[in-house]
């Protein structure tokens, strides 16, 4: 009901009487007043006049009410351990594709190899539930898809040249703005779900604590519209799922790569593969040619690459 009142105020853009809201919602005027009071506690600026209510300001929060049409599938928390943990529980309970878990802050945000992910307020921390119609061997391509979508959204909205680093990062001028982590659940030879976790430095200040990282706000000198950015990314990932097994996805990744054509070292499970990053395989693995000319197909690991010339 709170979100319905908010939607009515947003749709109007003008003063709406308490009586009109009550009639539209099928509740009393006192109940309308209570919902307005709740909206104010969330940070919405709702102005009261002799003629009714008018929405004058919205908070920089990723609340379900900020995503018209998505409210029922957006699970928002102000503070959560990890959106990945919540999404896993929801996906195993039958959550539909497109379910989005999002938080203002995480206390146990994680990246690859269970490393912690810095999650200060102002960032975007979300996990999207997907159920792609692909074989388990193709599921790792979701990392590539999500990275390409994030990079494209950043360029389209802010004019910043974003590049993708294998296996799951998005960079601007070789500084990390986004990390991506996909978690797959498989039954026999079928994918039950793949949850795509995205941590994006949007309006947070990260460069002081993480010199190799940077936020969009730091680069632009002004905060960005997080709601719009989330919508662009989620729409892009969902739209890309039908083409997950197509070669065109790999071509898009190649066009945005910050890894291919460089000397790299991949560290995984105590082993290291060093050489020249030649290409990406159909599985999403990185093809690395070592100094002896031997080609290695590396499926996962930490990628350390030489600085760009």
């Amino acid at each position: 009901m709170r979100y319905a009142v908010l939607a009515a105020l947003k749709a109007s853009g003008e003063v709406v009487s308490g009586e009109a809201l009550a009639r539209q919602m099928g509740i009393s005027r006192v109940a309308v007043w209570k919902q307005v009071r709740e909206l104010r506690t969330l940070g919405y600026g709702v102005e009261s006049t002799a003629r009714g209510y008018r929405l004058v300001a919205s908070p920089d929060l990723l609340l379900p009410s900020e995503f018209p049409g998505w409210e029922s599938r957006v699970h928002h928390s102000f503070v959560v351990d990890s959106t990945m943990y919540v999404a896993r529980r929801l996906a195993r309970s039958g959550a539909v594709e497109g379910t989005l878990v999002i938080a203002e802050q995480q206390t146990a945000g994680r990246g690859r190899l269970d490393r912690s992910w810095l999650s200060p307020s102002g960032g975007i921390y979300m996990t999207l539930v997907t159920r792609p119609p692909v074989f388990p061997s193709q599921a790792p391509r979701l990392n590539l898809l999500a990275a390409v979508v994030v990079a494209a959204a950043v360029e389209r909205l802010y004019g910043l040249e974003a590049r993708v680093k294998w296996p799951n990062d998005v960079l601007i001028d070789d500084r990390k703005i986004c990390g991506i982590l996909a978690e797959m659940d498989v039954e026999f030879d079928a994918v039950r779900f793949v949850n795509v976790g995205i941590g994006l430095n949007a309006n947070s200040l990260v460069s002081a604590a993480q010199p190799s990282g940077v936020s969009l706000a730091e680069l632009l000198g002004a905060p960005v519209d997080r709601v719009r950015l989330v919508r662009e990314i989620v729409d892009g990932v969902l739209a890309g799922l039908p083409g997950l097994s197509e070669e065109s996805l790999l071509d898009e990744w190649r066009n945005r790569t910050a890894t291919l054509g460089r000397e790299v070292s991949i560290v995984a499970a105590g082993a290291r593969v060093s050489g020249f990053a030649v290409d990406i395989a159909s599985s999403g693995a990185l093809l690395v040619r070592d100094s002896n000319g031997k080609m290695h197909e590396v499926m996962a690991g930490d990628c350390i690459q030489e600085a760009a010339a």
Side-chain angles (χ1 to χ4, degrees):
M1 188 57 65
R2 179 170 66 239
Y3 296 149
V5 170
L6 178 62
L9 293 173
K10 282 187 172 184
S12 170
E14 303 294 337
V15 174
V16 184
S17 71
E19 181 180 354
L21 287 170
R23 186 167 56 250
Q24 183 177 341
M25 306 299 154
I27 58 178
S28 68
R29 291 182 64 178
V30 172
V32 169
W33 175 80
K34 288 181 179 178
Q35 299 306 323
V36 168
R37 184 178 61 182
E38 287 296 317
L39 289 172
R40 286 171 175 159
T41 64
L42 290 174
Y44 288 95
V46 183
E47 181 181 73
S48 296
T49 73
R51 296 188 298 115
Y53 304 102
R54 183 167 68 99
L55 182 67
V56 296
S58 296
D60 179 26
L61 295 174
L62 301 172
L63 298 166
S65 53
E66 293 300 303
F67 300 95
W70 294 9
E71 294 95 338
S72 63
R73 59 185 175 97
V74 175
H75 297 256
H76 173 272
S77 298
F78 284 94
V79 180
V80 73
D81 49 3
S82 168
T83 61
M84 292 292 284
Y85 300 156
V86 177
R88 183 190 305 159
R89 293 194 294 270
L90 290 172
R92 287 176 176 170
S93 299
V96 299
E97 182 169 83
T99 296
L100 181 65
V101 179
I102 199 159
E104 304 297 334
Q105 288 183 278
Q106 297 180 117
T107 59
R110 63 188 182 90
R112 286 182 45 76
L113 305 178
D114 264 343
R115 292 193 182 93
S116 62
W117 172 267
L118 187 65
S119 305
S121 60
I124 293 173
Y125 314 111
M126 63 182 183
T127 300
L128 179 67
V129 176
T130 75
R131 299 185 184 277
V134 296
F135 294 110
S137 61
Q138 296 174 313
R141 283 175 167 233
L142 256 168
N143 266 332
L144 307 182
L145 171 62
V148 166
V149 166
V150 169
V154 167
E155 285 193 4
R156 185 166 54 250
L157 294 177
Y158 312 115
L160 297 170
E161 184 180 7
R163 314 297 288 174
V164 294
K165 176 189 173 187
W166 187 89
N168 60 351
D169 292 343
V170 179
L171 312 177
I172 295 178
D173 293 332
D174 270 354
R175 300 174 75 186
K176 184 172 178 177
I177 63 159
C178 179
I180 297 161
L181 181 66
E183 180 179 81
M184 177 172 60
D185 193 312
V186 177
E187 184 175 8
F188 299 109
D189 61 346
V191 174
R192 294 185 61 206
F193 64 81
V194 182
N195 289 344
V196 184
I198 296 174
L200 198 156
N201 300 328
N203 294 333
S204 49
L205 301 178
V206 300
S207 58
Q210 188 182 13
S212 61
V214 69
S215 71
L216 292 174
E218 289 171 317
L219 289 169
L220 296 169
V224 299
D225 184 341
R226 294 191 300 155
V227 171
R228 184 181 182 189
L229 186 51
V230 168
R231 273 193 168 278
E232 288 273 335
I233 293 170
V234 172
D235 282 342
V237 171
L238 294 178
L241 290 178
L244 197 61
S245 60
E246 296 177 5
E247 183 68 20
S248 57
L249 169 61
L250 301 183
D251 288 338
E252 287 186 59
W253 190 92
R254 291 183 183 108
N255 289 337
R256 294 184 176 276
T257 182
T259 301
L260 300 185
R262 287 188 180 185
E263 293 291 331
V264 299
S265 290
I266 313 298
V267 182
R272 177 185 290 261
V273 174
S274 297
F276 186 77
V278 175
D279 200 1
I280 193 87
S282 61
S283 62
L286 186 65
L287 301 179
V288 179
R289 185 176 61 239
D290 66 23
S291 58
N292 296 318
K294 180 180 179 181
M295 193 72 74
H296 301 262
E297 187 168 327
V298 187
M299 199 65 218
D302 287 340
C303 179
I304 304 166
Q305 54 192 43
E306 68 173 18

